[in-house]
């Protein structure tokens, strides 16, 4: 949660910081602010989104500064609680992402020493701690202050007395250095500075960096210099822009045919009929383990449930899927279990906590993530990148389908290693994977039908999604998409479960979206649809183009094309994303930045 940025170089810092914050506001958008060092340090901040705050900020001279966009944790959404936070003399400014657990105690001590606090944030304590020990060397002061902190943090600090210098430090919250020519950047995420540079250095936990326009120094917690390799990111700046779409979410939905190509790139060989991962991932998959436990949150959790179907269908490996926030306290510590964490951002606090515990227990760990250099990739034994490019909309879309396909590739690879998959079956999967972008493209062209269905949904106060088998997690994800962006209460159920309780909630005003794509359970789904209609609820079936029966049973039908039963879930997911999008759009909702949510959930 929260996006932070720092800049020092030759450009006007105001423009660089504001632009960076706009690209980071998916991380939080309660309030925002910047501090720029010119002849003095000047701070502008307020509640609301950066685009509104920008109007209040005058032209500022200064080529060094820091900025922040907030998702409130400690202290309400007020101007005082917005960052940057300042020292008593207002000469030191800091921005922070994370939580300082011992801030209350530190605050009491600092108040006794005469420090005056103006906010309710945990962050302000850091500014005063630095101030307390500052004697002309900001680097030393930050070291001394940070040694007193308990909790998680990415912090960026500037001092009016030492202009053209930025200090950054991270522990359990992301912070990445953007390496430029005669300029350098610090940010929570790469899109913040991608417009200026694609050369990056990732800080590890406990590391500090001291940045000027011509130099980057990295030190560990013992103040020993650390040599970091510069990495080049192959994301295109256009990936982090709307490219003419009204919302990032819509753009990212439409990115999906290309995303699928990217996920398969370098992994799938049609000619040799093989699937390739990096050497360490393949070694890990070939090793002996008693079970796989997949841990994740939110949309990544639903992708993991799809992954369970794939792995268990294709191999003899037992799979459990758990919410990271639960597994952390109740999960296995058995070293013979392989833990796979699925996380788009690679920064979700609950998922990271599981990874750390699993490693400490001697369990082997693998991460499926979209973000190279993220905390998860640094903790796990191995990682697989979903190669989807940056996803800016808070609602996960292209990264969900990329996670599903990655999990399918992993299942196929495991099946080959275990000898549980014949070459004919493998060939069929490969052909279907290759054809998948075409089917997704086809769904993307069905806007009129989907918009018409959104008209039926837009006034509902509650909607149910049902499915069986692999369509069940797709129903869960469909419901999550609708609720998070349209604010319509939506729940997903395994279709057979409705009669065990949820039926009590059905009324003629409760649309039920029934995903009906699995042959084995087709008749059972038809029976479920009948039961729902008998209670008077309208049924929107999501069915294959070739299904000639469904019209007799459902009130409305949304059609999808797909030859493959296993991969139809990807095509349906895209269709349900569009249904949620158009419904939210008709309701005039804040689609890219839904209320109370942030893209990267770095608090537990
Ligand atoms: O970055 P992660 O995949 O770990 O994030 C997990 C969830 O916070 C995330 O999927 C969330 O549920 C999405 N906003 C849903 O669209």
């Amino acid at each position: 949660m929260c996006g932070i940025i720092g800049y020092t170089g030759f450009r006007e810092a105001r423009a660089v910081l504001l632009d960076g914050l706009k690209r980071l506001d998916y991380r939080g958008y309660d309030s925002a602010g910047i501090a720029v060092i010119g002849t003095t340090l000047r701070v502008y901040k307020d509640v609301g989104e950066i685009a509104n705050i920008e109007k209040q900020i005058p032209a500022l001279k200064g080529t060094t500064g820091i900025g922040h966009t907030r998702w409130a944790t400690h202290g309400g959404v007020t101007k005082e609680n917005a960052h940057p936070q300042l020292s008593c003399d207002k000469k030191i400014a800091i921005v922070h992402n994370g939580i300082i657990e011992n801030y209350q105690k530190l605050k009491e001590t600092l108040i006794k020493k005469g420090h005056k606090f103006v906010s309710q944030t945990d962050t302000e304590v850091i500014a005063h701690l630095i101030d307390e020990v500052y004697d002309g060397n900001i680097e030393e002061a930050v070291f001394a202050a940070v040694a007193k902190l308990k909790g998680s943090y990415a912090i960026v600090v500037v001092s009016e007395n030492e202009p053209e210098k930025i200090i950054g430090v991270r522990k359990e919250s992301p912070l990445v250095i953007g390496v430029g020519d005669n300029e350098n950047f610090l940010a929570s995420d790469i899109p913040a500075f991608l417009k200026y540079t694609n050369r990056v250095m990732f800080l590890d936990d406990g590391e500090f960096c001291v940045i000027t326009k011509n130099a980057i120094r990295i030190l560990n917690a013992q103040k020993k210099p650390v040599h970091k390799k510069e990495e080049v990111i192959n994301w295109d700046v256009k990936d982090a822009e709307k490219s003419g779409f009204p919302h990032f979410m819509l753009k990212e939905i439409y990115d999906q045919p290309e995303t699928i190509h990217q996920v398969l790139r370098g992994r799938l060989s049609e000619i040799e009929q093989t699937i390739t991962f990096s050497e360490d991932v393949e070694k890990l998959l070939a090793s002996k383990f008693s079970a796989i436990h997949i841990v994740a949150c939110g949309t990544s959790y639903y992708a993991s449930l799809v992954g369970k179907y794939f792995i268990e269908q294709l191999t003899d490996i037992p799979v459990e899927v758990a919410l990271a926030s639960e597994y952390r306290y109740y999960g296995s510590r058995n070293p013979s279990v392989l833990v796979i964490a699925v996380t788009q951002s690679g920064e979700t606090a609950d998922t990271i906590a599981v990874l750390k515990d699993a490693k400490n227990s001697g369990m082997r760990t693998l991460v499926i993530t979209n973000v190279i250099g993220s905390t998860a990739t640094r903790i796990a034994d191995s990682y697989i990148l979903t190669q989807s490019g940056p996803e800016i909309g808070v609602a996960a879309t292209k990264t969900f389908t990329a996670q599903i396909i990655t999990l399918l590739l992993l299942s196929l690879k495991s099946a080959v290693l275990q000898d549980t998959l014949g070459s004919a079956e493998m060939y069929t999967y490969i052909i279907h994977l290759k054809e998948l972008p075409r089917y997704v493209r086809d769904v993307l062209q069905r806007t009129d039908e989907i918009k018409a269905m959104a008209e039926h949904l837009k006034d509902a106060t509650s909607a149910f999604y049902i499915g069986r088998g692999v369509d069940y997690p797709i129903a869960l994800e469909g419901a999550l998409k609708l609720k998070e962006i349209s604010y319509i209460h939506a729940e997903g159920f395994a279709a057979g479960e409705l009669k065990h309780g949820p039926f009590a909630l059905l009324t003629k005003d409760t649309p039920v979206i029934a995903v009906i794509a699995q042959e084995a359970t087709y008749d059972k789904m038809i029976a479920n649809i009948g039961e729902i209609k008998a209670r008077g609820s309208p049924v929107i079936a999501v069915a294959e183009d070739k299904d000639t029966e469904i019209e007799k049973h459902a009130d409305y039908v949304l059609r999808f094309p797909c030859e493959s039963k296993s991969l139809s879930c990807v095509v349906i997911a895209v269709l349900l994303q569009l249904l949620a999008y158009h419904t939210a759009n008709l309701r005039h909702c804040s689609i890219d930045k839904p209320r109370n949510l942030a893209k990267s959930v770095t608090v537990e």
Side-chain angles (χ1 to χ4, degrees), residues 15-85:
V16 177
L17 298 175
L18 291 175
D19 184 61
L21 289 180
K22 282 181 205 155
R23 292 169 195 276
L24 286 176
D25 69 356
Y26 63 88
R27 302 180 65 88
Y29 30 86
D30 296 338
S31 52
I34 61 168
V36 173
I37 307 183
T39 43
T40 56
L41 180 103
R42 294 171 73 183
V43 176
Y44 294 87
K45 58 183 186 176
D46 210 339
V47 297
E49 289 180 24
I50 191 67
N52 300 330
I53 295 163
E54 179 176 13
K55 295 174 201 142
Q56 310 165 22
I57 306 178
L60 292 170
K61 283 260 161 279
T63 55
T64 300
I66 59 177
H68 187 271
T69 180
R70 182 170 187 243
W71 189 89
T73 53
H74 287 82
V77 181
T78 64
K79 184 172 176 173
E80 290 69 34
N81 290 339
H83 300 204
Q85 291 290 327

Side-chain angles (χ1 to χ4, degrees), residues 56-127:
Q56 310 165 22
I57 306 178
L60 292 170
K61 283 260 161 279
T63 55
T64 300
I66 59 177
H68 187 271
T69 180
R70 182 170 187 243
W71 189 89
T73 53
H74 287 82
V77 181
T78 64
K79 184 172 176 173
E80 290 69 34
N81 290 339
H83 300 204
Q85 291 290 327
L86 298 171
S87 57
C88 287
D89 64 3
K90 300 190 171 32
K91 290 191 172 185
I92 295 169
I94 93 152
V95 289
H96 164 224
N97 170 25
I99 288 183
I100 305 303
E101 287 159 9
N102 58 339
Y103 85 100
Q104 202 58 51
K105 229 167 154 191
L106 292 169
K107 189 170 176 174
E108 282 159 22
T109 316
L110 286 159
I111 288 172
K112 279 188 198 135
K113 290 186 174 170
H115 288 264
K116 299 262 179 297
F117 280 77
V118 293
S119 82
Q120 287 76 50
T121 63
D122 49 345
T123 305
E124 192 181 0
V125 162
I126 312 170

Side-chain angles (χ1 to χ4, degrees), residues 249 295-302 342-349 351-352 368-371 391 393-397 399-400 403 477 480-481 484-485 594 597-601:
M249 182 182 177
V295 291
C297 303
T299 289
S300 297
Y301 171 71
Y302 299 144
V342 179
T343 164
Q344 183 282 130
S345 60
E347 301 294 347
T348 300
T351 311
I352 297 297
I368 296 177
T369 184
N370 192 34
V371 183
E391 186 179 69
V394 165
T397 51
T399 56
F400 175 66
Q403 287 169 343
E477 171 61 6
L480 177 63
K481 283 294 87 91
E484 74 179 326
I485 61 164
L597 297 180
K599 181 123 191 109
S600 192
V601 185

